[in-house]
Amino acid sequence: MMRPHSFICDLAAKVVRFEGRKFLSLKPGVDEDLLRPRKGAPEAALYIHIPFCKRLCPYCSFNRYLFEEERARRYFRQLRQELDFYLERGFTFRSFYFGGGTPTVLMDELVAFLEYLHRRLPVKEISLETNPSDVTPETVRILKDLGVKRLSMGVQSFDDGMLKAMGRFSHTGAEAVEKVKIAQGQFETFNIDLLYNFPTQTLELFQRDIEMVKELEIDQVTFYPLMPAPRKRHAVERRFSKIDTRRERRFYRLVLEEIYHDGYHPSTVWCFSRGERMIDEYIIDYEDYIAIGSGSVGLYQGLFYANHFDLDNYGKKVESGQLPIAMSRMLPRRDHLRYHLLTQLFGMKLLEEAHRRRFGRGTKEDLGLELRILRLLRAVEPFEGGWRVTEQGMYLVSGMMREFFTALNRLREYCMVGGI
Ligand code: SF4
């Protein structure tokens, strides 16, 4: 099988790194009129960010703060207010994605928020991230009763040595196994996240994590590479050794051999499910997503925006009746097309009809050069619905997506350090 050479993969990743930074060069403020429902636009998903964790993992570049109960309660109130701003503007949502931080960090507030969603909106599906330490039979029952269809648990590794090296002290490997057994089979989709290419991680350790996934017959598993923002990267590298992205390919090959070739279905190049199509990433399934909560990023009809990261700035804006958006950028058509291409390739397919509906022209007219190059590299191939990523192309797309998320993490770090 011919695979794109490492050099080509590195080059493609570099192009995305460059394009990603350009894409994310947001300007302060927002034209709020652009955030009104457009006639004929498909319904957007709603992303909700809960930025609190009971412990902060040193490698993590998300917007997160150490949990303080009073602060978190105030935050949930502000979150409801922010949601109301969008509802007053005429938005309606049916699909919800809770990320963090740890959305389950304060269950009574989360429950009240979910009940509020049910009262105000025609809820169809809810996807929610959690930590193994929060998973109990009781929380599982509550979340199920409140319509959570997909629960995603951040395991990262089943190996105690790896968890310790990562600074992930919220659970041990044995506890993660126990929590998987509690949640598995209780939701339409139960996912776990596993991290790879941590400096001290060997292929053997990673292989054992994969074996555990199979042994436990987990519905869905997302393997994602370490992709910290610059400061976090330096901290990890000072403590261990250089994060070598070239090692990633060997880890990824193991995923293909052990998971993909074993019949797991890829819904993204990182996410593999045992059953048929399961719920996965909102950035692929939804052309538009409104984002609420501090440090969340949204995309609506070409407007890309980021909320205030700093909790005080976020809270002040919301309490004074304003959308808490810190910065934004109306994407030029070219950037929007490339973002669409990247996220769809991440989701394994670029669908002709969806592309035409969104951009008014065919994929070849809009992305002819990009598709020709990808085809030449045998990274994509045509099929009757559009273009699909080949097995050979999966690693190339993985590297491109890693660079895009790294650029996003860089933006997050910039905002957090700058108190934006
Ligand atoms: S990795 Fe997850 S649990 Fe750890 S600090 Fe980041 S959001 Fe919190």
Side-chain angles (χ1 to χ4, degrees):
M1 176 200 310
M2 185 198 139
R3 295 192 184 91
H5 194 277
S6 293
F7 166 74
I8 300 289
C9 294
D10 289 349
L11 187 66
K14 275 196 184 122
V15 171
V16 173
R17 190 179 312 159
F18 175 75
E19 289 286 324
R21 286 186 196 171
K22 201 168 70 162
F23 180 91
L24 294 165
S25 52
L26 310 184
K27 296 274 180 300
V30 66
D31 176 354
E32 291 195 4
D33 281 340
L34 297 172
L35 279 169
R36 297 196 182 279
R38 289 258 186 99
K39 217 170 147 211
E43 198 171 272
L46 183 71
Y47 173 80
I48 302 137
H49 193 75
I50 313 292
F52 301 103
C53 297
K54 293 210 172 121
R55 285 168 179 264
L56 301 183
C57 309
Y59 63 88
C60 169
S61 301
F62 295 130
N63 183 40
R64 81 284 195 264
Y65 301 92
L66 203 56
F67 173 67
E68 283 172 44
E69 187 176 330
E70 201 188 312
R71 215 176 185 197
R73 290 200 186 281
R74 193 163 60 235
Y75 181 82
F76 271 99
R77 271 200 310 278
Q78 291 159 349
L79 207 52
R80 271 198 294 274
Q81 275 177 272
E82 190 189 0
L83 171 61
D84 287 347
F85 296 157
Y86 285 100
L87 301 187
E88 282 155 17
R89 285 169 173 259
F91 280 97
T92 183
F93 307 101
R94 279 182 293 178
S95 295
F96 305 87
Y97 192 102
F98 287 77
T102 311
T104 46
V105 73
L106 188 55
M107 272 305 281
D108 63 313
E109 289 288 354
L110 176 67
V111 166
F113 191 86
L114 288 168
E115 286 169 347
Y116 187 67
L117 287 184
H118 281 283
R119 281 201 301 280
R120 302 286 318 262
L121 291 159
V123 176
K124 185 178 123 216
E125 61 186 22
I126 299 171
S127 177
L128 195 133
E129 293 173 1
T130 189
N131 235 334
S133 54
D134 289 347
V135 173
T136 65
E138 179 66 359
T139 50
V140 164
R141 186 190 57 73
I142 293 171
L143 294 175
K144 249 174 81 172
D145 287 352
L146 283 164
V148 172
K149 298 274 192 278
R150 177 180 185 261
L151 187 73
S152 176
M153 191 168 88
V155 170
Q156 316 315 341
S157 173
F158 288 101
D159 182 82
D160 288 344
M162 276 313 308
L163 289 168
K164 200 167 157 215
M166 289 172 191
R168 182 91 186 195
F169 296 110
S170 57
H171 59 275
T172 63
E175 279 159 1
V177 170
E178 183 198 326
K179 301 309 173 98
V180 166
K181 288 180 179 164
I182 292 173
Q184 171 69 18
Q186 299 296 320
F187 298 89
E188 268 181 32
T189 306
F190 172 63
N191 175 81
I192 68 161
D193 286 345
L194 289 176
L195 181 66
Y196 66 90
N197 201 26
F198 195 83
T200 55
Q201 192 176 24
T202 61
L203 284 175
E204 290 69 31
L205 282 175
F206 187 52
Q207 168 107 32
R208 267 192 255 150
D209 280 342
I210 291 178
E211 279 162 14
M212 190 57 89
V213 167
K214 291 190 187 180
E215 199 182 311
L216 293 169
E217 301 187 339
I218 297 171
D219 292 341
Q220 187 184 70
V221 54
T222 303
F223 298 97
Y224 69 98
L226 185 62
M227 44 194 172
R231 284 174 185 235
K232 293 278 157 46
R233 169 181 283 267
H234 290 148
V236 171
E237 291 184 342
R238 258 201 319 273
R239 177 132 188 250
F240 301 104
S241 56
K242 207 164 163 39
I243 299 169
D244 182 359
T245 45
R246 282 167 310 175
R247 271 187 359 131
E248 254 181 49
R249 193 176 188 127
R250 296 201 287 275
F251 285 96
Y252 197 76
R253 193 174 300 147
L254 212 53
V255 172
L256 290 181
E257 283 165 8
E258 298 288 333
I259 293 286
Y260 182 55
H261 289 172
D262 199 38
Y264 282 72
H265 172 80
S267 45
T268 74
V269 297
W270 292 348
C271 179
F272 298 81
S273 307
R274 278 198 319 133
E276 265 311 295
R277 176 93 173 88
M278 291 186 168
I279 310 167
D280 184 38
E281 274 284 353
Y282 63 96
I283 62 165
I284 298 161
D285 292 341
Y286 289 87
E287 292 171 9
D288 290 320
Y289 46 94
I290 294 292
I292 63 171
S294 96
S296 58
V297 294
L299 175 66
Y300 187 69
Q301 295 287 298
L303 178 76
F304 190 76
Y305 66 91
N307 269 359
H308 280 287
F309 282 66
D310 179 83
L311 288 177
D312 291 336
N313 289 341
Y314 169 78
K316 269 187 219 146
K317 274 272 181 84
V318 172
E319 285 176 2
S320 65
Q322 300 172 65
L323 288 176
I325 295 174
M327 49 178 84
S328 64
R329 179 171 180 245
M330 191 65 204
L331 301 178
R333 183 178 160 84
R334 192 85 221 137
D335 288 11
H336 197 182
L337 281 168
R338 288 192 172 153
Y339 171 82
H340 180 74
L341 174 66
L342 180 63
T343 52
Q344 298 309 296
L345 292 180
F346 182 52
M348 300 294 293
K349 279 190 216 98
L350 173 65
L351 297 175
E352 193 63 44
E353 202 190 311
H355 181 91
R356 199 172 276 283
R357 205 175 48 235
R358 167 111 237 189
F359 295 101
R361 303 200 319 175
T363 54
K364 280 194 189 149
E365 289 164 275
D366 274 341
L367 294 161
L369 177 65
E370 290 85 348
L371 288 168
R372 268 202 304 282
I373 294 171
L374 288 165
R375 200 164 174 202
L376 208 66
L377 297 171
R378 302 194 189 174
V380 300
E381 62 190 9
F383 78 111
E384 64 186 70
W387 302 85
R388 67 180 158 220
V389 176
T390 61
E391 183 182 337
Q392 296 97 303
M394 287 170 78
Y395 178 68
L396 182 119
V397 174
S398 168
M400 289 162 68
M401 209 60 207
R402 178 240 299 145
E403 288 306 322
F404 181 76
F405 281 131
T406 303
L408 188 56
N409 285 340
R410 174 184 281 268
L411 173 75
R412 289 182 173 125
E413 190 169 87
Y414 169 79
C415 292
M416 283 186 273
V417 172
I420 288 170

